[in-house]
Amino acid sequence: MLERRPLFGALIGLTLVFTIWHMSFQESVVVVSSNGVNGPYPEPVAVVTTWAELVAGNQSWFVAPPAPTNWYKRNTIRDTWGRYDPRAKLVFLLGAVNSSVLQRRIEKENRLYDDIVQGSFLDAYRNMTYKHVMALKWFTYHCPEAKYILKADDDVFVNTPALYNVLSGLQTPRRRLLFCQEIWNAPVKRTHRSKWFVSIPEYRNKYYPNHCPGYSILYSPDVAYQLYREAMRQPYFWIDDVHITGTIAQRINVTITPTDTMLLNRTQKDAIVEGRANATDQLFFFTTPDLREGEIRKLWRAVTAAGGGGR
């Protein structure tokens, strides 16, 4: 535990913002500019839920934007690590949809849970960067009391009991925080067989800069704001993890704080889910992605039964 104390001291205090999202892969790109803002990004949100209701009170925030059709994943999050806590608010950020039936279903879901905010661009594979920037701008302008924003996919598990316990004991806010698993020297995919194919005109370097995989990223508010503002000045690149936490992060001169032991790997996750290990064996904040809903529920039962998921 001694080696983790500098990490805890680097994190910010009581109030939190978490942003969770997932990308869908079927629609084409549609960009809607508005507000007279320079840059390649649309206005961040066409709001389903009302801002007055969302920002009332001095609360913390979860911001969570999975793909529009993933209602079962949203319900899993609502039932487990995203359930009500006075220190946090769960909000799902979605892109626009091209189906009136699906749109009515989203609106019905929001009337029931009051936790959905919807963007003005299609929720599509090559619009991932729009969604990333949307969340950063939404956080910057509508969560002034919050101290964190966490971007994560809807197929990861966030150990909120442990996260709350650690952060509630901290006093001094830390600026310049970009907290994630760090990816080094990732080669650009040049083969057309890869879904991550990028042509030389799109990206000329052979390797991407160090960056965060998008499934779990924790930002301090100053970094979120600076990333948003710099992204508005730069040409669009569709791989959001690389663009925002790599290229743009380098431009604002912010470095990554690696998650290291606070990330539960697949082997460790499987051991807990299968009952071969206890959730108290390791203090962790996040898991790697691609979890099934049943695994998320089992992990939630494990960490709550353990009183917080770590020593």
Side-chain angles (χ1 to χ4, degrees):
M1 286 298 295
L2 292 177
E3 72 275 13
R4 297 184 188 128
R5 287 178 183 170
L7 170 62
F8 297 162
L11 297 178
I12 298 179
L14 197 53
T15 337
L16 317 174
V17 173
F18 300 93
T19 304
I20 299 169
W21 70 79
H22 180 83
M23 298 74 70
S24 70
F25 303 96
Q26 63 272 23
E27 295 94 348
S28 58
V29 177
V30 173
V31 179
V32 180
S33 298
S34 62
N35 221 26
V37 179
N38 294 328
Y41 299 95
E43 180 66 8
V45 285
V47 183
V48 173
T49 190
T50 67
W51 293 125
E53 292 168 347
L54 285 175
V55 302
N58 182 12
Q59 302 188 71
S60 317
W61 297 92
F62 278 103
V63 187
T69 57
N70 288 348
W71 59 269
Y72 54 93
K73 292 188 176 182
R74 293 193 286 275
N75 282 338
T76 297
I77 292 170
R78 291 177 182 119
D79 290 343
T80 59
W81 59 264
R83 66 170 52 189
Y84 172 77
D85 187 286
R87 295 166 290 185
K89 169 68 176 179
L90 179 69
V91 181
F92 293 94
L93 302 185
L94 307 179
V97 296
N98 54 9
S99 164
S100 59
V101 173
L102 179 54
Q103 180 61 33
R104 287 194 297 270
R105 182 171 183 172
I106 292 170
E107 293 170 3
K108 180 179 179 180
E109 181 182 349
N110 184 64
R111 287 193 296 270
L112 181 61
Y113 296 105
D114 193 26
D115 61 2
I116 294 176
V117 175
Q118 192 168 21
S120 58
F121 51 88
L122 278 178
D123 203 294
Y125 183 64
R126 288 204 168 231
N127 280 349
M128 293 186 292
T129 300
Y130 292 124
K131 187 177 279 190
H132 200 149
V133 174
M134 174 181 80
L136 295 174
K137 183 174 183 179
W138 184 85
F139 165 74
T140 295
Y141 288 103
H142 298 283
C143 303
E145 300 298 329
K147 298 301 188 294
Y148 280 123
I149 177 172
L150 172 66
K151 172 192 177 300
D153 289 349
D154 58 5
D155 58 358
V156 305
F157 179 80
V158 181
N159 188 356
T160 46
L163 203 55
Y164 294 157
N165 290 341
V166 170
L167 295 176
S168 62
L170 302 178
Q171 299 298 323
T172 304
R174 156 119 188 254
R175 295 171 62 84
R176 309 292 292 171
L177 181 65
L178 182 60
F179 181 63
C180 67
Q181 180 188 11
E182 187 169 14
I183 303 298
W184 295 74
N185 299 322
V188 179
K189 302 295 185 183
R190 298 300 190 194
T191 173
H192 289 270
R193 294 189 300 272
S194 173
K195 70 176 183 179
W196 301 108
F197 165 75
V198 172
S199 66
I200 292 177
E202 284 182 290
Y203 195 91
R204 296 191 176 277
N205 295 338
K206 292 183 178 180
Y207 294 91
Y208 291 126
N210 294 357
H211 63 278
C212 304
Y215 64 82
S216 184
I217 308 170
L218 189 69
Y219 313 82
S220 58
D222 58 313
V223 168
Y225 173 73
Q226 291 166 18
L227 288 172
Y228 155 64
R229 293 302 299 173
E230 186 61 28
M232 296 293 289
R233 302 185 182 103
Q234 299 302 319
Y236 185 87
F237 182 62
W238 63 276
I239 302 180
D240 67 305
D241 310 344
V242 169
H243 188 57
I244 302 299
T245 67
T247 304
I248 302 299
Q250 285 187 352
R251 292 190 68 89
I252 67 170
N253 197 30
V254 64
T255 57
I256 292 171
T257 301
T259 50
D260 292 337
T261 58
M262 308 311 293
L263 178 68
L264 196 72
N265 64 36
R266 286 182 173 85
T267 300
Q268 295 163 327
K269 177 265 297 181
D270 289 343
I272 295 175
V273 168
E274 296 167 6
R276 295 182 284 106
N278 296 320
T280 55
D281 290 346
Q282 176 186 344
L283 177 60
F284 70 95
F285 289 164
F286 317 116
T287 69
T288 51
D290 301 320
L291 271 64
R292 299 182 297 273
E293 287 73 45
E295 292 178 305
I296 291 174
R297 293 181 185 275
K298 287 180 179 179
L299 284 170
W300 176 250
R301 288 194 293 269
V303 300
T304 52
R311 294 178 295 194

